[in-house]
Amino acid sequence: MDYLQRALTTFNGGNWYGWKTHDDNGNKIPNKDRMQYQHIKIIKDGATIPSEADVNAKIQELKDAETAYTNARTTGKAKLKSGEALTDAEIKALFGDN
């Protein structure tokens, strides 16, 4: 799943959106172009489309978390090799939530 879809699932309790198949003029949107913010459609009653700024902020948050996780794995491995103590984030990145 790409960052846009991962971000969208965090709004409205998840599974609230789909993708338009035709633009406002009735032209078919090619499948490769459909998964963009401007083509979101609501498929769940009571859901609202979050602002593009909110979606972009969530995407950045997901990317930052992924980078932090990757960095924790890298530093955790180095610390294990050198015998240094690991942080909680490094332990989680290396061994999971258990």
Side-chain angles (χ1 to χ4, degrees), residues 1 15 25 29 31-32 36 38 45 50 54 72 85 90 93-94 96:
M1 184 182 304
N15 199 26
N25 296 324
I29 303 168
N31 285 342
K32 66 181 180 68
Q36 298 178 36
Q38 67 267 25
D45 288 341
D54 286 345
E90 290 164 338
L94 290 169

Side-chain angles (χ1 to χ4, degrees), residues 25-39:
N25 296 324
N27 301 311
K28 184 170 174 48
I29 303 168
N31 285 342
K32 66 181 180 68
D33 298 330
R34 286 176 55 203
M35 291 185 213
Q36 298 178 36
Y37 180 84
Q38 67 267 25
H39 301 307

Side-chain angles (χ1 to χ4, degrees), residues 28-63:
K28 184 170 174 48
I29 303 168
N31 285 342
K32 66 181 180 68
D33 298 330
R34 286 176 55 203
M35 291 185 213
Q36 298 178 36
Y37 180 84
Q38 67 267 25
H39 301 307
I40 296 170
K41 71 175 181 179
I42 295 174
I43 61 171
K44 179 180 174 184
D45 288 341
T48 58
I49 296 177
S51 71
E52 191 166 7
D54 286 345
V55 173
N56 288 335
K58 180 55 76 172
I59 288 170
Q60 189 60 54
E61 180 183 318
L62 293 168
K63 287 180 177 181

Side-chain angles (χ1 to χ4, degrees), residues 9 11-12 20-21 34 47 60 62 69 73 77 94 98:
T9 60
F11 296 95
N12 295 306
K20 294 177 184 174
T21 57
R34 286 176 55 203
Q60 189 60 54
L62 293 168
Y69 176 84
R73 282 186 61 84
K77 287 178 183 178
L94 290 169
N98 298 333

